[in-house]
Amino acid sequence: QPKLDPFTTLLELKSGALDPERGTPQVRTQEDLRGFFQVAPEDPDRVVYQVLPMPVPKENSEIQCSTTIIEPGTVGDEYYMTKGHFHAVRDRSEIYLGLSGEGRLILATEDGRYRVEPIREGTINYVPGGWAHRSVNVGDDPLVFFAAYVGDAGQDYATIERDGFPVLIGPGDDGPAVRENPTY
Ligand code: F6R
Ligand code: ZN
């Protein structure tokens, strides 16, 4: 017998709003990102990003999905970004679909290889298992993308909190600049 009933929800492509909402949005402030940016929060209560979930059981027979909305802004020399994570089950993969705004996706392996990929309206990023991923809003508007991933993937934030990513992205002379992370 099937475990779930079908459902449909409307995603407003520009803003990322879901109608009806399917779960409690997860809100991340500058304070929540303490230890992920290079410097301490400048305006601790300010919202950096939100994740709007469409929860299903966290099992590998299911497909989790959510919409992420990252506000424009900076802390120190870095653009607003997500914490970033490896999947707790390392080989679990994920797909991002860009909806609006301008962003970058930083991906890194545990042995320090990295890639920087674009996120904007219409991009599809494939995140293979074993690659940590963090998205960064490099534009002046909110960055909105939809994510779908294997249901039992889980998120390991602790490794990123300890080691960071090999590169940082912040404003440069000719637009977004990718710099080596001195504390990686
Ligand atoms: C799920 C996933 C995204 C992120 C979201 C927020 O595996 O990659 O849905 O969870 O973009 O980023 P984090 O989870 O790094 O705070
Ligand atoms: Zn993920």
Side-chain angles (χ1 to χ4, degrees):
Q1 277 305 100
K3 278 186 280 187
L4 297 180
D5 287 333
F7 60 88
T8 300
T9 202
L10 190 69
L11 168 58
E12 205 201 65
L13 297 178
K14 178 97 187 129
S15 70
L18 288 180
D19 184 17
E21 284 195 358
R22 297 248 155 224
T24 311
Q26 189 182 59
V27 179
R28 299 284 187 220
T29 63
Q30 286 192 13
E31 180 60 34
D32 295 323
L33 279 114
R34 186 184 286 276
F36 288 85
F37 287 114
Q38 294 289 109
V39 302
E42 293 158 354
D43 196 348
D45 294 336
R46 198 166 281 267
V47 173
V48 177
Y49 64 98
Q50 285 190 68
V51 182
L52 313 183
M54 289 182 41
V56 294
K58 295 184 188 326
E59 295 168 8
N60 101 334
S61 55
E62 304 297 342
I63 300 172
Q64 296 285 345
C65 59
S66 60
T67 309
T68 303
I69 305 165
I70 310 179
E71 297 302 321
T74 55
V75 173
D77 295 334
E78 294 173 276
Y79 287 119
Y80 276 8
M81 62 188 188
T82 59
K83 287 183 173 185
H85 56 266
F86 284 96
H87 288 152
V89 182
R90 282 293 190 271
D91 69 355
R92 298 306 195 242
S93 58
E94 179 156 11
I95 287 168
Y96 282 2
L97 169 61
L99 300 178
S100 69
E102 199 200 341
R104 300 287 183 271
L105 176 61
I106 307 174
L107 302 114
T109 59
E110 268 171 307
D111 61 6
R113 284 185 295 146
Y114 73 89
R115 294 279 295 272
V116 178
E117 301 286 334
I119 305 178
R120 64 182 137 71
E121 182 184 345
T123 55
I124 296 172
N125 310 108
Y126 191 77
V127 179
W131 288 81
H133 39 288
R134 162 181 285 164
S135 36
V136 185
N137 184 351
V138 302
D140 298 327
D141 299 309
L143 175 69
V144 183
F145 62 91
F146 179 78
Y149 54 103
V150 182
D152 67 349
Q155 282 85 24
D156 165 16
Y157 297 105
T159 304
I160 300 301
E161 192 168 10
R162 190 190 61 211
D163 300 339
F165 275 79
V167 290
L168 311 172
I169 304 184
D173 293 336
D174 316 299
V178 179
R179 290 175 288 117
E180 234 176 78
N181 176 1
T183 61
Y184 177 72

